[in-house]
Every structure is written in C-alpha cells, then in structure tokens.
Amino acid sequence: MRLIIMALMGASFALFGSLASARAATPINPQADMKAFQGYFLKRFPKVPLAAYVNGPYNFSKSEADQWKQIMEFPPYQFALDTGKSVFNTKFPNGKDYASCFPNGGVGIAQNYPMFDPKTGRVVTLGIAINRCRVANGLKKLKLTTGPMADILAYMTSTSDGKPINVVVPNNPKALAAYRAGKEYFYSRRGQLNFSCASCHVQEAGMHLRGNVLAPALGMTAAFPLYRSKWGNMGTLVRRFIGCNKKVHSVPAKPDSAAYRDLAYFLTYMNNGLPVSGPGARP
Amino acid sequence: MNLRASMLGLSLLAGLGVAGVGQAATPAQIAAGQKIAETTTLGNCDACHMFTGATEAGNVGPALQNVKSMVPNRKEFYAIIYDEEARNPQTVMPAFGKNHILSPEQINDVIDFMYTK
Amino acid sequence: MRKTAMMAVAAIMFAPLMAQAGGPSKANSAKAIASAAARIKIAAGMNDQWLATLAAFKAANAAQAKGDFALAQSKAMTAATLANLSIQQASAQKKLWVNEVIK
C-alpha cells in the first residue's frame, strides 16, 4: 500500500512537471468551436431543429413534454417574473434605478451576457452586472443563486424573449483566456465520480439518468433563470452549476468565481444565434 | 510512469479484492449488494443501469441482464467496477474502487448481487 | 470468512504505513492533520476538491478535539489519500480534457 501511494505521488509530481508544456498555446477560435458544437448536436439529433434546443429535455421525452405543456398553462415562474419587474422598476434610496446602470434602460439586453469587461479583464454575467449596479448605488450585493436575484433576472431575461443570443469574445488576450478557461472547465472531469460537464451533457445527452433526461449542452443556458420543480423555486445558471458539481461529489466553486464566470461565458457563447427563452420551467 | 503506477495499484488491489473467488455468495452478501446498488450515496447503479427490481432506472449504461454471461470472469467484473476508465478512457462509469467510493468488500457484494440478475 | 481474510491482508498492508506515521498520539495525529491540510490546499488551487475529502478532514479535526487521536489520524490519512487522488485527477485532466472537445 505504501508502495502504491509512493508510486501515485511520484506520478503526480511527474505530471506537475509537464504542466507547463501541456498548457502550450493551442489556437483559440471561438467561432469555429461554436460551429462545431452546434453542428455536432444537429447531426446527432437530426429531428431537433437548432432553435428547439432551448427547450432542453422536452425534445427527448414525450411524457416530460406533455407535463410541461400542462404546467405552462400557469407558468410556475410567473410570480418571480412579476416580482422581478416591480423590483426592477423601484427606485433605489438615492433616487436612481437599475435601468440607469444598463444600456437601453436594461430592456432587451440579456442576450448580450455574459460580457467581457475590458476594464477589469473579467467576465461579467448579468447577475454580476446587477450586483455591480447595486453596489454603485450604495446597496448590498444579492445572492447570485436564487431569491430576488433570480426574480430580477427573470424579468430582464423576459424582455429579451426570442432575441438571438449574441455573446462576444473580443480579440483581447484576457477575453480569449477566459473563454479558454471556461472551455477547459466544461471538458475536464472532476469530483470523486469523475465526470465532466461534457460527460453528461454531450456524451450522454438525451439519455436517462434515473427518470430524468440529460439535457444537451446546446441550448442549456437559454432558459435560465428557471423554475425547477425539484427546487420548488427559481434558480440561476450558477445554482445549476453548483448542483452539478455536488452531484459528481465535487466541492462547488464560489458563485462569483472566475471558474463559473468563464464557464458561463463559454457555454453561452456556444448558444449564439439561439433564441433567449427564459425564464423557463424544468422538472 | 503514470500508467504503470496505476496498473500496479490495480493489480495489487484487484488481487486483494477477489479474495473470495470460488466461494458461494451468502444471502446476506447478496442482500448487502442490492442495498449498495440501489442506494444513491453508495453504488447508485440504477441511476444509469436497468436491472430487474430497480425503480426509475436510467439507460446511460447497458442494462444488466444475464450478468453471468455478460461478464463471466469475476476478476474482470471487479476491474470494471474498480476503475473502468483504465480499460476504456471514454467511459463515464465512476471508478468506484480507485476513488474510494466503495470498499473492496462492497464491490464484491455488488458483484454477488449482480450475478443473481 | 472473506471479510476476515481481507481484513487480515489489509492490516498487513497498512501496518508499515501506520508504523511509519507513528502510533496514535496527539502529536502524530496533529502531524497527519497538518499534512492532509497541505494536500487539501493544493487540490483547492486546482479547482478539484472532493466532498468526501472535506468530510474526512472535518471528522479528523472533530476526533482530535475530542482526544480520539487514533480516529483523528486515520481520518486525516483518508483525507490526504482522497486529496491526492483529486490532485492526480486534476493533473491528468490538464492533458486529457482536449480529447473530449467537440471538433
């Protein structure tokens, strides 16, 4: 046993040594990645048109799709949407409002997020932009996973309903590095169960994990924030990331971490051209 | 280096794990195996594999029927559960033994249970 | 029968490790906890910490606080083993992830 541990430690040191060379520059071409990503799913599931991927699991299970149609007669996110709209339109104590922080008063802009911020060199999700707005106006940050943040996101996203997702990766080394880091995160196995995001949402997409369909990674970000029956309330994309990490027995990253910002950046970029369809509802 | 190290680990541990070859499984071992196979925090086998008696089983992995003819060699079956990635880099099956999710005894109990399917 | 045989084998295999780490004492278990903490820090830096690692580490600290140094030492060793596995996984993935990319 001691021998094995020593051998394993030796192996890991050897790998550390080769880290630098493994990181050697591979060309970063987001546009080509996106074309290949969308093409992969279109070829694999020829019956599902590109825009329908925003409906996630419902393309792959008639029973789930039938239940969804029933549920959508009284959308479970309606309350969050209404609350979010009134919060969004309520003035801050200093007399300003959310609209003052965003282009076009915050209406019809959700399709452009996550966005690279050249000033900080970091990716900014719409949730993080909302928190920046609050801090700039003397208010505390909101939790990025659920609650009031999900409500405001539900409203802002609804004003972009049907607009094509349009995430931009500018030709800036930090933006390209963030995109690449998100891509690496998506494809890297982690956790005691040794899954990557891609293991379930690319390789096994459309299959059943217990009773649930594994949604394809294509279209996945389009319906957030969403009401999930399993949660019994609203949640953001970050909340889903945390859930997936825990499911593979991995300690989740912080909601505003670079890891999750970059992952959202990559994953949403892969959905460019698909229509925004949030807020959504899922089993 | 890495491959050889893990192969060494695998063969040593596989040797330890199949200590029970040749002995008939007891009903208690089979029952323990079933519990492990159907418990989410342990084997959670039915999340991905269909087998008779499983409720709401998934279909990510192959259905487990006539398991004795699927994997007649117990040592090989142990290796699949221990670390299938070592045999097939593309697999999404977790390395239950290598990653200390199940103990060697628990893996053997699961094998005893699956051999009744 | 199978169980006893395996425990005997395991005891023989673990014996040198325990002897090397020293028998249960407050100092030895503290040393094991410190070395687990160092591995955990590396795993965290690689964005790949396992839930079970932190659970074992927490149990080690709880046992240490209660004066159960044998348990503290064994839990700390479990935490270090799991942290090493996740470090190994993260290191391997630095090379392997590109094989999974849709091209």
Side-chain angles (χ1 to χ4, degrees), chain A residues 135-160:
Chain A
V135 170
N137 287 286
L139 294 174
K140 277 189 183 161
K141 286 181 186 173
L142 293 172
K143 206 164 63 168
L144 286 166
T145 48
T146 185
M149 176 59 82
D151 297 346
I152 299 169
L153 283 172
Y155 169 66
M156 290 184 75
T157 305
S158 76
T159 68
S160 283

Side-chain angles (χ1 to χ4, degrees), chain A residues 15 42 66 71 73 78 100 105 113 120 141-142 152 161 164 176 198 200 202 211 220 227 229 233 236:
Chain A
L15 278 161
L42 290 174
D66 289 346
I71 286 171
E73 285 174 26
Q78 192 60 49
S100 69
Y113 287 84
T120 57
K141 286 181 186 173
L142 293 172
I152 299 169
D161 189 37
L176 288 164
C200 286
V202 175
M220 193 168 256
Y227 182 96
S229 308
N233 53 33
T236 64

Side-chain angles (χ1 to χ4, degrees), chain A residues 3-4 7-8 10-11 14-15 189 191-195 199 203-204 207-211 214 249, chain B residues 1-2 5 8 12 44 46-48 55-60 85 89-92 94 99-101:
Chain A
L3 186 67
I4 300 165
L8 289 179
L15 278 161
R189 291 176 181 241
Q192 199 174 15
L193 298 193
N194 197 33
F195 284 96
S199 302
Q203 200 175 333
E204 303 300 338
M207 304 301 278
H208 279 79
L209 185 70
R210 293 207 175 276
L214 290 166
H249 297 193
Chain B
M1 165 65 179
N2 184 28
L8 173 69
L12 277 175
N44 201 18
D46 47 354
C48 292
T55 46
E56 264 212 318
N59 62 0
V60 171
E85 201 190 354
Q90 297 299 309
T91 190
V92 297
N99 283 1
H100 294 241
I101 301 160

